[in-house]
Amino acid sequence: MTNRLQHIAIIMDGNGRWAAAKGLPRTAGHRQGAQTLQKISEAAADMGVKYLTVYAFSTENWQRPPEEVAYLMNLLRHYLKDEFKKIQEKGARIRFIGERYMLDEDIRALMSKIETDTAQNDKFTLCVALSYGSRGELTSTFKRLASQVESGALRIDDITEQTISANLYTADMPDPDIVIRTGGEQRVSNYLLWQLAYSELFFTPVYWPDFSAEDLSAVIKEYNSRERRYGKV
Ligand code: IPE
Ligand code: IPE
Ligand code: MG
C-alpha cells in the first residue's frame, strides 16, 4: 500500500483565539483565517494535492451569537463574489458540501454558479464544508437508502459500504489521506466521520490564521514517513 497523497482535509480552528491573543475581536480572526485559506489552497495545489476539503462552518456553528454568524456569512459572500476568483483562475474546481437549505438564497445561488463555472477543472478541487455536519450527512444518506428500499428500487443486500460512500456529499472524491486540525484541540467536531476511517490525523497548536505553507509541507513530510497498515501486518 503506498502513501500516495490525494486528499487533505482540514479543520480550520483557532480564529477566535488568534484574535483574542492580539486583543482583537473574533471577527478579525475570521478575516485573517479566510486569507490563510486562499494561501493554503494555492500551496496545496502547487504541492500536487488533488483534493483539499476544508471545514469552514459546521451545523453546530449556527448556534454562535447572531453577529458572529452574520459576519461569517458576509465574509463568505465576499469570497464567493470576488476572492475565490484567484484560485479559480489557477484552474481549481470549487465545490461545497453541507446543508445548503440553511444558507441564504443569494449565497446558495453564488455557490451554484461557482460550482458550475469550475466543474470542468480537474487538476485541483477545493471542497468547502459549509453548514456541514457528518452525523446529519449520514442520517440523510440512510434515509435516502431506506426510502429506496421501501419503494423497491434497492434491495437491503445492495446497501454496502460502497453504496453508502456513493450517497454522501463527498461521493466522487477519495477518502482523505490526511486530516489536520489546527488550533490545539484534539477532536473531530462532527467532520467527515465515515470518510476519515483510515485517515492519518495531525493536530497542531498553531491557530489557523498563522498556519503556513511550511506547516503544511511538514505535515506532508511526516505523512510520507508513516506506515499505513489498514489493519494488516
Ligand atoms: C474556526 O475558528 C472557524 C469557525 C468555526 C467558523 P473558531 O471561530 O472556532 O476559533 P476558536 O476555536 O474560537 O479560537
Ligand atoms: C469546528 O470548530 C468547526 C470548524 C472549524 C468550522 P469549532 O470551533 O466549531 O469546534 P468545537 O466547538 O471546538 O468542537
Ligand atoms: Mg473553534
Side-chain angles (χ1 to χ4, degrees), residues 12-17 26 30 56 61 64 68 72:
M12 308 185 290
D13 194 29
N15 292 351
R17 282 164 289 157
R26 292 178 57 80
H30 294 315
N61 290 151
R64 291 191 177 194
E68 180 168 345
L72 285 165

Side-chain angles (χ1 to χ4, degrees), residues 23 30 34-35 37 43 67 99 103 108 132 135 159 161 163 185 188 190 193 196 209 217:
H30 294 315
Q35 287 187 15
L37 173 57
E67 314 79 59
E99 307 301 330
L103 295 158
R108 293 201 315 252
Y132 174 87
R135 286 185 170 183
I159 300 178
E161 293 186 13
T163 48
E185 309 292 358
V188 181
N190 205 11
L193 301 179
L196 60 67
S217 88

Side-chain angles (χ1 to χ4, degrees), residues 11-13 55-58 61 64 181 185 187 189:
I11 302 174
M12 308 185 290
D13 194 29
Y55 208 1
F57 193 84
S58 71
N61 290 151
R64 291 191 177 194
R181 181 169 187 142
E185 309 292 358
R187 55 180 172 246
S189 300

Side-chain angles (χ1 to χ4, degrees), residues 43-103:
D46 290 344
M47 291 175 200
V49 173
K50 273 204 75 107
Y51 300 91
L52 179 70
T53 300
V54 294
Y55 208 1
F57 193 84
S58 71
T59 43
E60 289 73 21
N61 290 151
W62 287 113
Q63 292 161 51
R64 291 191 177 194
E67 314 79 59
E68 180 168 345
V69 171
Y71 183 88
L72 285 165
M73 291 302 141
N74 281 329
L75 190 62
L76 173 62
R77 275 190 183 88
H78 173 56
Y79 270 72
L80 290 167
K81 282 185 190 145
D82 296 316
E83 297 293 330
F84 279 140
K85 290 227 167 65
K86 291 181 194 137
I87 177 92
Q88 200 173 324
E89 277 158 12
K90 289 199 139 199
R93 176 175 177 188
I94 300 173
R95 56 183 283 181
F96 301 92
I97 58 174
E99 307 301 330
R100 286 187 197 219
Y101 70 92
M102 298 174 89
L103 295 158

Side-chain angles (χ1 to χ4, degrees), residues 92-94 113-122:
R93 176 175 177 188
I94 300 173
K113 176 157 175 12
I114 287 200
E115 286 181 322
T116 313
D117 289 351
T118 64
Q120 304 309 319
N121 298 344
D122 57 5

Side-chain angles (χ1 to χ4, degrees), residues 151-171:
S151 74
L154 189 74
R155 293 176 310 141
I156 287 182
D157 283 347
D158 292 332
I159 300 178
T160 61
E161 293 186 13
Q162 286 70 31
T163 48
I164 292 172
S165 290
N167 277 278
L168 299 172
Y169 288 128
T170 49

